[in-house]
Amino acid sequence: MKKTIILFLSFLILYACSPQNSKLLKNQKSEKTTTPKKSKTKQYTDFVKKDTKTDDGLFKVHETKDQFMYEIPKSYFGKEMLLVTRIKELPADLGGGYVNAGSKINTQVVVWEQFKDKILLKVKSYNAIANDSLPIYKSVKANNSEPVIYAFDIKTQNQDSTAVLIDVTKFFSTDVKAISGLPSYYRSTYKVRRLDPSRSFINSIKSYPENIEVIQDFSFDSDAPPSNRSTNTITMRINQSMILLPEDPMMPRIYDKRVGYFSMGNVDYSSEALKADDKRYIRRWRLEPKDVAAYNRGELVEPIKPIIYYLDPATPKKLRKYIKQGVDDWAKVFETAGFKNAIMAKMPPTKEEDPEFSMEDVRYSSIRYVASTTRNAVGPSVSDPRSGEILESDIIWYHNHLRSYRNRYLLETGAANPSARTLDTPDEEIGDMMRMVIAHEIGHALGLPHNMAASYAYPTDSLRSGSFTQKYGIAATIMDYARYNYVAQPGDKNIRFIRQLGPYDHYAINWGYRRIPNANTPEAEVKTLDKWISDKANDPIYRFGAQRFDPSAQTEGIGNDQVKSSTYGVKNLKIVAKNLPDWTSNQTNNYDDLDELYGELLSVWGRYAGHVAGNIGGVYEYNKKPSQTGDIYVPVAKDVQKESMNWLQKNVFETQSWLLDKNILNKVDETGYTSKLSRYQNRILSSILNYRTLDRMIEADVIEKNNYTALSMIEDLRKGIFSEIYSTKNVDLQKRNLQKYFVERMNALMNDKDAKSTDISSIVRGELTTLKNQLNSASRRNVNKITKYHYNDVLEMVNNILNPK
C-alpha cells in the first residue's frame, strides 16, 4: 500500500513538470487572478452630440435624427403631472361623426419614479383618497396600487448628476394602449389589426415651461375603417400633453347638483362616518383678487391672473370681432362675482413681440379656427383632478358651422323675420350668431354644462314681446340649446330672434367663483353656498335641469308651454315651407340649397313634435335638499298629457300633406320622401311606446291617482292612429306605414324582457286583441283594394304576435 502511494505522488510531480501541463496550470492561475475588463459607461456626450437639437422647458428634450431623449431632473421624481391624450386629426366619420379634432380620449395623473436602474412612469389615481396622517392611508395605498405605464432604462446622467436621460422614442412611436388615441371600442368596431410601424412615427416633441407636447402620426391596419375603405387604413394624428400640476392645489368648491357645473369626484376614506364619503368638486378657474381686503368689502377687484383667450391667426379677419365679443361678454358676468377684467380675448403676440409664444403652450388658452367641413364648435378644458382647477382650454370652431346657423335662422325665424329669408344672411346677424356660439363654448370652458331647463323659465307668450326679448333674450342662460326664437309670429315687433347671455349665467358664475371671506375649507363654504341657492329656489330663472325624462329640460325648446310653443313653431314652418323655393332655388338657379333646407325643415318639425311628446310619461325634476319644501319628482299633469296626445294626433300622426309639397319634392328627389317623413313619425311613436315611458306612467299611478294612465294613453294612441277603421275611409300610404310601425312597436314591448313582468305586457296584449277585432270588421267594409290588403296584412301581423308559431 505504501509503495502504491509513493508511485502515485511521483506521477503527479512528473505530470506537473511537463512543459505542456506547466503552461496549462499557469494559464489557469492567471485566469483566476486577472480583473475582468469593465464595459465602457455611456457618457452624456454620447447622447447629446453636436448635431442634437435640444428644446428646453419642463424637461430638456433632445432630438438626434429620429431618436428622442428626455432629460428628467431628479427634483421632478414624484411630482404629479397630468397626461392628456387628444385627437389632433382624424379620418372622416370616426365615431359615427360624433368625434372631433380636439376630442380628449384620456386624462390621467402620472408620476416619474426611479426604481434601481429604471425610470417608471406610473398612473396615480384620485378615485380613492385618505389623509396621509391617518392609519387608513396605508390601506388605501395598498388597495389602490398605481399601475406602471412604462419602464425606461436610465441611459446616463447629466454632467452634474441632477438629471437622468431616458429614451422615449419607442414609448411614443409604438402602440402603447395606456396612451392610445384609438380606444378598444374603436378597435373592435373598425376591426383594427395592428399599428403599422413603417407608417407610424413621432412628428414632433416640444417642451414648454409647464408642459411637453408630443405629436404622433399613427397608421393602423383596419379591415373596416370608417372612411376610405379601400385603403384598409386608419391614419390619425395624436397629441400627448404632459402638464406639471400646481405645487399648491386650489381649494376645491363642493359640487351641488342644484347649480350646473362640470365636476370631478373621489371616495374619501378619512370620514368618521360608517362609510367612505363620496366627494365631488366643481371645475373652475383659479381666480384670486389682487386686493383681498377691497374684494371682501364688496369692491370690484382685478384677479391676479385673468382668463385670457388668444385668437387663432388663421381666423378670417371679418369674424375676429365677433369671436372676441363672445369671450368679452363674460367679463360683465364675472363682475357679479366681484371680479373686474376677469376674462378677455386677444390676438396672439407677433414673432417680434414674443418669439417663444405658442398656442400649444399650456400657459395660453386659445380659440382655434379649423378648416373643416364639420358643423360644430366645442369648448374642452383640462382640469386638475385634485381640486377641479381648470388649467387651460382650447375652444375649437369649425369653418362650416355658420352654415348650420344660417339654415336654422331661415327655417325657424323666416316667417316672422324678413332678414332671415335669404341664403345671404346679413353679416351683422351672422356675426351675432357666431358671437353667441363662442359665448356658449366659453361657458363650457368656464365649467358650465348645458342647462336645458333655462328655456322653460320664460312664459311662451312673452317670447312674442319685443320689450321682453330685447331685455331677457329667449332663455335664462346661454348654456341652453335655445338658439332662435321660433315662437314669434308675423307682425310681432322689435323681437330678438337670437339667443344671448341671461340672468342664470350671472347667478351660476357668482355661485361658483365668488370667494367667501373667512371660509378656509370647502366644508366651511357650504352654509353660504346653500343660502345663495335657497334665496333663488322658487324662481324658475335660476333652476338647473339636466336633459333626461323631464319635459321642461329639453334640447332646442323655448317657452314654458310645449304645446303652445310647438303650435307657434309649426305655424311658422308652414309659411317657410310654402316660400322655400322662392327663398332658395329661385334665387340661385340651383336646387342644392332647396334640397338641404327641406331635409333640415323635416328635422326642425321633428324637434317641435318631440318637445310635445316629452310631456307624455314625463316627470318634472326639482333638485332639492331636505331643508327645502316640496317634492323632487312630479309627474306631468293629466290634462297636459291628454292635450299633448291630441296635438300629436293632429300634427304628427295624421299625414302632414304640407310637408309633402310637390313643388319641392319633384325638384330634390325621385323617391324616398315618404320614408323620410315616416322616420320622424316613427321616432315620435317610439319615444311614447317604449318601456321607460310606460313604466313611469304606471309608477305615477301609485303616487298620483288622477294620472294619465298607460292604458288610457295606448288606447288613445290606437284610436287615433287607426282612426280609419271606424269608417269607410281609405288609408293613405303615409298612414299605412305608420299603422304597421305601431304594431311593430307593440310587438317589441310584448317581447321586452323588462315589460313581461309588468302591466305593460297585459296592456299591450289587451289592446292588440281589441285591434284584431276591429281589423276583422274593417277589412269587410267598402274600402279600396290597397286598404283591404293593408288591413289583412296588419291583421296577420297582430295574429302572429298574439299567437306566435
Side-chain angles (χ1 to χ4, degrees):
M1 180 70 178
K2 188 182 290 184
K3 194 179 287 186
T4 302
I5 292 171
I6 293 169
L7 286 171
F8 179 70
L9 290 173
S10 300
F11 173 77
L12 287 176
I13 292 167
L14 287 170
Y15 179 82
C17 292
S18 69
Q20 182 180 356
N21 291 317
S22 175
K23 184 178 180 182
L24 178 64
L25 289 173
K26 186 177 179 182
N27 287 343
Q28 287 176 344
K29 184 178 180 182
S30 174
E31 284 177 9
K32 287 179 183 178
T33 58
T34 301
T35 303
K37 281 187 177 182
K38 292 184 179 179
S39 61
K40 186 180 178 183
T41 304
K42 290 279 187 179
Q43 302 297 314
Y44 185 80
T45 51
D46 294 327
F47 300 101
V48 183
K49 307 173 184 178
K50 288 183 179 180
D51 61 341
T52 297
K53 298 176 184 176
T54 297
D55 190 17
D56 201 356
L58 179 65
F59 304 154
K60 286 182 179 177
V61 176
H62 305 292
E63 179 184 356
T64 308
K65 295 182 180 178
D66 292 327
Q67 183 186 47
F68 291 88
M69 308 284 292
Y70 276 6
E71 183 175 326
I72 306 178
K74 294 178 181 178
S75 60
Y76 280 114
F77 290 169
K79 286 190 182 294
E80 295 170 341
M81 301 182 185
L82 202 63
L83 182 56
V84 184
T85 302
R86 280 180 285 214
I87 297 176
K88 191 173 180 68
E89 295 178 13
L90 72 164
D93 296 324
L94 185 77
Y98 292 99
V99 179
N100 300 302
S103 296
K104 280 189 291 187
I105 298 298
N106 197 9
T107 302
Q108 47 199 333
V109 178
V110 296
V111 292
W112 298 91
E113 290 184 0
Q114 181 170 356
F115 177 74
K116 297 182 178 178
D117 60 348
K118 301 278 187 184
I119 297 297
L120 308 180
L121 183 61
K122 301 175 73 174
V123 174
K124 188 169 184 178
S125 173
Y126 274 89
N127 292 332
I129 62 170
N131 190 313
D132 58 10
S133 65
L134 298 176
I136 199 170
Y137 176 75
K138 296 178 181 178
S139 179
V140 170
K141 289 286 288 182
N143 287 283
N144 293 273
S145 179
E146 297 166 353
V148 176
I149 294 179
Y150 209 85
F152 301 86
D153 293 326
I154 297 176
K155 297 299 183 181
T156 189
Q157 299 191 59
N158 65 349
Q159 292 170 339
D160 61 2
S161 300
T162 59
V164 297
L165 260 66
I166 60 170
D167 189 337
V168 297
T169 310
K170 186 177 179 182
F171 178 61
F172 286 122
S173 60
T174 57
D175 194 10
V176 179
K177 297 297 189 295
I179 61 168
S180 174
L182 201 63
S184 58
Y185 49 91
Y186 287 161
R187 292 170 187 259
S188 174
T189 301
Y190 302 123
K191 299 180 181 178
V192 173
R193 286 181 278 111
R194 65 167 192 136
L195 178 75
D196 183 356
S198 68
R199 294 178 290 160
S200 302
F201 47 86
I202 299 171
N203 183 291
S204 66
I205 302 182
K206 295 182 180 179
S207 190
Y208 300 98
E210 296 175 10
N211 58 300
I212 294 178
E213 301 294 323
V214 181
I215 306 297
Q216 305 160 293
D217 287 349
F218 280 171
S219 288
F220 296 89
D221 290 331
S222 166
D223 291 332
S227 55
N228 297 311
R229 298 210 163 193
S230 62
T231 65
N232 279 35
T233 296
I234 295 176
T235 295
M236 305 174 68
R237 180 163 284 181
I238 309 301
N239 187 170
Q240 307 286 352
S241 300
M242 185 171 288
I243 304 163
L244 180 66
L245 289 174
E247 195 77 32
D248 179 24
M250 179 185 73
M251 188 178 86
R253 179 154 290 182
I254 293 174
Y255 169 77
D256 191 312
K257 63 182 178 180
R258 296 172 295 174
V259 183
Y261 268 90
F262 292 124
S263 63
M264 44 186 43
N266 54 44
V267 178
D268 190 349
Y269 288 89
S270 304
S271 172
E272 293 293 329
L274 298 178
K275 67 176 183 65
D277 283 342
D278 289 323
K279 289 191 173 179
R280 186 157 288 278
Y281 304 116
I282 69 171
R283 293 173 57 186
R284 58 179 181 156
W285 294 80
R286 187 190 296 226
L287 285 185
E288 299 169 328
K290 288 181 178 178
D291 187 336
V292 175
Y295 183 90
N296 290 343
R297 290 195 301 268
E299 298 175 25
L300 285 179
V301 176
E302 291 188 342
I304 295 171
K305 184 180 179 183
I307 304 164
I308 301 175
Y309 279 90
Y310 290 93
L311 273 61
D312 192 334
T315 306
K317 289 184 178 180
K318 71 175 185 178
L319 298 177
R320 291 177 183 178
K321 68 175 182 178
Y322 303 116
I323 294 177
K324 179 171 170 40
Q325 286 171 338
V327 179
D328 293 347
D329 282 343
W330 284 96
K332 195 71 177 173
V333 179
F334 272 99
E335 289 183 8
T336 307
F339 290 102
K340 180 172 63 176
N341 301 326
I343 183 169
M344 63 197 74
K346 295 180 178 181
M347 286 302 295
T350 63
K351 283 289 183 185
E352 292 74 26
E353 292 169 333
D354 185 355
E356 296 298 317
F357 179 89
S358 170
M359 290 202 294
E360 304 295 338
D361 191 333
V362 76
R363 294 175 298 167
Y364 307 114
S365 294
S366 64
I367 300 176
R368 308 295 183 95
Y369 194 96
V370 180
S372 167
T373 57
T374 300
R375 296 189 185 184
N376 200 10
V378 293
S381 60
V382 174
S383 303
D384 184 343
R386 304 168 304 174
S387 65
E389 179 185 354
I390 297 174
L391 303 172
E392 67 93 27
S393 162
D394 291 297
I395 309 297
I396 301 173
W397 175 278
Y398 298 95
H399 179 72
N400 274 22
H401 196 32
L402 280 177
R403 188 176 181 89
S404 294
Y405 278 82
R406 180 208 67 178
N407 290 357
R408 292 276 299 275
Y409 193 52
L410 184 153
L411 295 169
E412 296 188 34
T413 77
N417 179 13
S419 66
R421 300 168 189 166
T422 175
L423 297 174
D424 298 316
T425 312
D427 286 348
E428 282 300 317
E429 290 170 52
I430 281 286
D432 198 15
M433 296 173 210
M434 187 178 202
R435 173 182 181 176
M436 294 308 154
V437 178
I438 293 295
H440 178 93
E441 300 306 335
I442 289 292
H444 284 320
L446 295 173
L448 304 181
H450 292 133
N451 179 8
M452 300 306 185
S455 53
Y456 194 76
Y458 294 164
T460 294
D461 282 327
S462 294
L463 301 175
R464 298 187 60 188
S465 164
S467 58
F468 182 92
T469 56
Q470 292 296 343
K471 182 177 181 179
Y472 297 105
I474 58 177
T477 175
I478 195 71
M479 302 315 298
D480 200 331
Y481 270 178
R483 291 178 172 88
Y484 296 114
N485 185 348
Y486 59 80
V487 164
Q489 297 295 291
D492 294 342
K493 303 296 183 183
N494 194 33
I495 298 296
R496 178 165 180 86
F497 289 100
I498 301 170
R499 61 181 169 172
Q500 64 185 30
L501 280 86
Y504 175 86
D505 300 311
H506 290 260
Y507 164 73
I509 290 297
N510 181 72
W511 189 90
Y513 282 87
R514 179 172 283 280
R515 289 172 62 92
I516 300 173
N518 304 317
N520 299 318
T521 66
E523 291 73 21
E525 294 185 327
V526 171
K527 184 177 179 180
T528 300
L529 295 172
D530 272 352
K531 186 176 186 307
W532 291 346
I533 295 173
S534 61
D535 287 346
K536 307 287 190 182
N538 297 318
D539 191 334
I541 286 174
Y542 304 105
R543 175 174 167 242
F544 174 73
Q547 183 191 10
R548 296 193 294 166
F549 44 76
D550 185 342
S552 69
Q554 298 191 76
T555 180
E556 312 286 358
I558 58 173
N560 67 347
D561 184 332
Q562 288 91 347
V563 172
K564 184 181 285 188
S565 293
S566 291
T567 299
Y568 284 136
V570 169
K571 189 177 178 182
N572 283 338
L573 271 185
K574 288 179 179 179
I575 296 172
V576 171
K578 194 172 182 180
N579 289 279
L580 204 53
D582 286 339
W583 298 346
T584 58
S585 55
N586 290 359
Q587 303 299 317
T588 62
N589 198 29
N590 184 301
Y591 289 118
D592 291 346
D593 289 295
L594 178 63
D595 187 11
E596 181 180 327
L597 282 159
Y598 172 70
E600 291 194 30
L601 186 143
L602 285 176
S603 179
V604 172
W605 168 76
R607 277 198 296 273
Y608 296 164
H611 297 155
V612 177
N615 282 330
I616 297 174
V619 177
Y620 300 120
E621 183 179 37
Y622 302 102
N623 288 316
K624 299 180 179 184
K625 282 191 174 181
S627 57
Q628 297 174 266
T629 59
D631 296 327
I632 293 177
Y633 301 106
V634 180
V636 175
K638 178 180 180 179
D639 61 336
V640 174
Q641 295 195 55
K642 288 280 285 184
E643 181 188 23
S644 299
M645 175 58 74
N646 292 335
W647 190 94
L648 291 172
Q649 295 286 6
K650 179 182 177 182
N651 293 281
V652 179
F653 301 140
E654 288 297 323
T655 298
Q656 304 298 298
S657 57
W658 64 277
L659 287 171
L660 299 172
D661 187 343
K662 68 177 184 178
N663 292 321
I664 297 176
L665 300 181
N666 61 16
K667 308 293 194 308
V668 300
D669 212 336
E670 85 286 357
T671 186
Y673 23 83
T674 55
S675 62
K676 287 179 184 176
L677 182 54
S678 289
R679 279 198 295 272
Y680 287 101
Q681 290 176 311
N682 294 347
R683 186 181 301 171
I684 298 301
L685 190 54
S686 294
S687 72
I688 300 170
L689 283 181
N690 73 74
Y691 169 76
R692 293 192 179 280
T693 299
L694 294 169
D695 187 52
R696 286 196 299 271
M697 298 181 80
I698 290 169
E699 292 286 338
D701 281 343
V702 179
I703 303 170
E704 291 282 340
K705 296 303 178 185
N706 186 30
N707 192 55
Y708 189 38
T709 65
L711 174 57
S712 296
M713 188 272 283
I714 295 181
E715 186 177 21
D716 288 345
L717 204 54
R718 172 182 54 78
K719 288 178 179 178
I721 289 176
F722 286 88
S723 59
E724 294 86 356
I725 63 176
Y726 304 106
S727 67
T728 57
K729 187 178 179 182
N730 295 319
V731 187
D732 65 37
L733 172 61
Q734 208 69 46
K735 201 69 176 291
R736 294 197 297 268
N737 292 340
L738 182 64
Q739 289 175 354
K740 286 179 178 175
Y741 190 72
F742 172 88
V743 176
E744 288 178 17
R745 286 304 307 158
M746 296 289 271
N747 184 36
L749 286 168
M750 278 284 285
N751 291 291
D752 189 303
K753 62 180 181 4
D754 294 321
K756 285 183 178 181
S757 59
T758 71
D759 281 347
I760 294 174
S761 62
S762 306
I763 294 168
V764 170
R765 184 176 295 278
E767 284 298 303
L768 284 177
T769 301
T770 300
L771 180 59
K772 172 185 174 181
N773 296 332
Q774 292 173 335
L775 287 168
N776 270 319
S777 299
S779 63
R780 295 192 291 270
R781 293 200 179 100
N782 185 24
V783 291
N784 65 14
K785 187 177 286 187
I786 188 61
T787 298
K788 281 182 178 289
Y789 287 171
H790 167 69
Y791 282 154
N792 289 330
D793 196 19
V794 176
L795 184 58
E796 183 69 14
M797 292 172 66
V798 172
N799 283 328
N800 287 336
I801 296 169
L802 294 174
N803 301 292
K805 295 176 183 179

